[in-house]
Amino acid sequence: MSSIRLGRSRRFLLASAAFTSFTVADLPAALAQQVREPLPPVEVSPNQSRKQAKPAGRDAQSARRATPRRSAAASAAPKPAVPAAAAPTPLNSNAVAESASRLGLTVRETPATVEVISAETMREQGYRTVSEVAQGAVGVTSGDSPGEPAGFSMRGFTNSQINTLYNGIKIGPQNMTSRIMDTANLEAVEFLKGPASLISGEGAAGGAINFVTKQPHTGAIRNEADFSYDSLNSFRTHYGSGGSTNVQGLDYRFDISRSSLNGFVDDTNTKTLDVSGQLNYRVSDSLKVWGAIEYREDRGKAYWGAPLVPAAFSGSHATSGIVSGTYVSDFTKSNLGSITIDDRTFNTNYNVLDNRNVAQEVWLRGGFELKLAPDLMLKSQAYAYGAERSWFNNEVEAFTTNPGPHMNTVDRSRFYVAHSQRLVGNITDLTWDANIAGFDNRLVTTLSSSYLDFVRPGAANFPEDFVSLVDPVRGFYGDLTTKQQTARIDNEALSFEDRLKLTRTFALIGGLRVEHIGLDRNSTDQNGLVNAGFPFTKDWAPVTGRIGYTWEAVPGLTFFSQYATGADVSANNIFLLLPTQPLDLTTSRTYETGVKHLFWDNRAEWSFSAYDILRKNVYAAAGGMALNIAGRQESKGVELAASVRPIEPLRLWGNIAYVDARYADYNFVGGSFSGNTPPNVPRIVANAGASYRFFTPWPVELGIVGRHVGDRYNTDANTVTMNAYTVGDVYAFVDIPKTVFNAVDQARLTFRVRNFTDKRYAIWGDPFYPGQILLGAPRTYEISAAFKW
């Protein structure tokens, strides 16, 4: 049946693609009447601020005070490569997402689904961390499971099946390298949906998410400061400054932020520090050099979830609407029967008293942009990255009903692991604008290389004890014995990306990436002796790419379709491959078609896409620490987003995504998970919001935001359901006139209530710890202040 569904879906998407481009069939007539509209000329940019391009259709009116939800940062300065600064559009489709294409295309010009959430939107919507940003994106869910913080689910794929990038650079699989990150130092977060190996390489079966640091602009110096405090005693502070210096051609940007985010569970928190800076120096009209540095630190006491317990045991303390189903513990082998979350455990911390999660990261980046000729641009950047991470926790909380002295208690198990990571690399682009047989063409050739060294000391023993479900004695970690694993990875890639304009409105866009990955792995026991099968080496040479088109049928209305491929490691991730696991790469491909429409004088915008993704040769977590072969993973779905300002004070926006993600040919000894849904993948995700601004002497804006997430499973077995939930936030802010603070150009005070209905819900489940569920935060109150001068 799955093959029949796949065939029907593929025929539907191909038919849709053919329908959207039917008028191109008469190419001779079209070419005879073409009026070429080339890409903006390649020029050396004085800064690396978020780029905006002219909107399609009628000329944009002057930018309004506040744009709908997907607005670009109003403070971003455009590059000279763009003819003129454009008014931000309701869905921010004028933004250029460099993680989606190296051609300098806007979101609307890219034959894929791309979403860019700007710093201005993060500020207005109160997104404090990158996980909260993701929860506002179309069809994206996220969770901060301590073992894999800042994990994402998108189009049926999760965690390391989605590349996480930092200013376009990949540092490794998400479930090994991601950390909780504050948004204060970010200019934008970019979401590229579907297989995306062309731009970011191995690992992007489900897409890529790119975090873009705030960067210099040319012009007057602008400063900003932000403060916030909430009812959990959390606080955030940030100061940023940027602009042109007294040295001709030298621009700077500097940001420093500090946060302490307390959890709703006892003795849990995350403290972050982020310092970033960049200098751009225009040596001449044809040469710019730049350098950047960033230091990030996070320290936390982790919340690992609430244990699943038998509903019969909890009795009157059993809850409904959070989880449902039945469960046989992968850790204790206890048959818990019908399960629940006990309301006495909502705020209980089962971690040891001396627990810690710590990371320090340092980035060094630098490069140049050189205009070799009017139609030829060379860009190159070198980078170095270092990270030290450690986890020292009790991580397993498994309720046991096994007869004996520990019956009806929580079985705990400790875990320790540390990372020492070093990465160096270079990315060089050569962009050539040309006219081929009368057609405007842009070609980007990219050569990249990197070398990564990864050392992973870990626990060789796993201390275990038992504590009561209610008011547990937390105790301490105990004795620690370690062993060590290493991974050395070298990577070289050559890629080509091209855009050929066959008419003023119709363009073919494609690319190809040839990549080499070399892996050296070693593993020793607690005595320093090499484990069986180690060391070993492995090489891969994946070839991935994309081919698609965009067709602007009428000004502002763009149809697109694409076929794209990706590749990633089949078993867990490349850092942890074992010699006993199949060492092949998975392959993934997507068919996608859709439409993007900007209209009503830039006051309304909507987008729609339909896709069919297939991933082959998949490994998946069967529950606990085991991995099973899942032959294929199929994902089909649709996404719709819209935003409109019907009248100046009012803005409305919403999005909805539906996905049907399933395993096929997923058989193992003792059973089959074929037809099951991957963990943390809801069928329905929807967001909606509205705000109204009162243009009084002290302007006031009131807003409400709602989010619905459908049922999800916590493991491939699909026996435990994390039930659907709907939550909402409300906020009000007042803009204080400049006459009150003469030295401040903009001042805003905001009051926000998060989860105003105080909904209790399950936000995420870690399939490697299936006996416990992470709960979402209850109602909290927050007050914040922001200043710009």
Side-chain angles (χ1 to χ4, degrees), residues 46-277:
N47 59 76
Q48 293 189 338
S49 296
R50 171 66 36 194
K51 294 179 284 186
Q52 298 283 332
K54 280 186 175 180
R58 290 168 290 182
D59 292 338
Q61 301 295 320
S62 58
R64 294 173 172 83
R65 175 207 57 80
T67 60
R69 177 172 169 80
R70 295 295 179 251
S71 62
S75 61
K79 291 186 177 181
V82 178
T89 71
L91 294 180
N92 206 14
S93 63
N94 278 341
V96 176
E98 295 183 353
S99 61
S101 173
R102 299 186 187 277
L103 291 166
L105 303 178
T106 66
V107 169
R108 199 164 48 253
E109 295 169 325
T110 304
T113 299
V114 184
E115 185 173 4
V116 178
I117 297 182
S118 69
E120 184 71 9
T121 297
M122 295 182 219
R123 183 172 70 94
E124 288 195 357
Q125 297 302 318
Y127 298 149
R128 299 167 295 180
T129 66
V130 295
S131 292
E132 292 180 353
V133 176
Q135 291 165 16
V138 183
V140 183
T141 57
S142 65
D144 284 321
S145 174
E148 302 177 353
F152 307 101
S153 176
M154 187 164 71
R155 289 195 169 180
F157 298 89
T158 58
N159 295 101
S160 292
Q161 298 157 19
I162 301 168
N163 268 352
T164 300
L165 310 174
Y166 301 85
N167 295 296
I169 301 170
K170 179 184 176 183
I171 62 173
Q174 177 278 326
N175 65 348
M176 296 290 289
T177 61
S178 286
R179 303 296 299 182
I180 295 176
M181 185 192 304
D182 197 280
T183 59
N185 292 50
L186 296 180
E187 181 178 300
V189 179
E190 303 170 351
F191 296 84
L192 171 61
K193 309 289 186 63
S197 289
L198 170 65
I199 303 300
S200 56
E202 174 271 327
I209 299 176
N210 186 35
F211 306 120
V212 183
T213 307
K214 289 180 178 177
Q215 297 167 10
H217 72 272
T218 298
I221 291 177
R222 295 196 297 265
N223 303 282
E224 57 188 273
D226 309 274
F227 312 90
S228 71
Y229 181 82
D230 73 13
S231 55
L232 293 173
N233 294 323
S234 300
F235 73 86
R236 298 173 67 227
T237 62
H238 162 248
Y239 169 75
S241 179
S244 298
T245 68
N246 292 330
V247 178
Q248 181 67 32
L250 182 64
D251 305 325
Y252 81 96
R253 178 73 199 192
F254 172 78
D255 290 273
I256 181 170
S257 61
R258 177 85 184 190
S259 72
S260 179
L261 301 178
N262 292 325
F264 63 93
V265 172
D266 297 335
D267 191 29
T268 58
N269 62 72
T270 299
K271 299 178 180 180
T272 67
L273 171 66
D274 194 338
V275 182
S276 59

Side-chain angles (χ1 to χ4, degrees), residues 699-720:
V700 174
E701 184 163 316
L702 305 178
I704 184 169
V705 179
R707 175 171 177 79
H708 175 80
V709 178
D711 290 345
R712 296 134 292 140
Y713 300 106
N714 70 329
T715 70
D716 291 338
N718 287 187
T719 62
V720 174

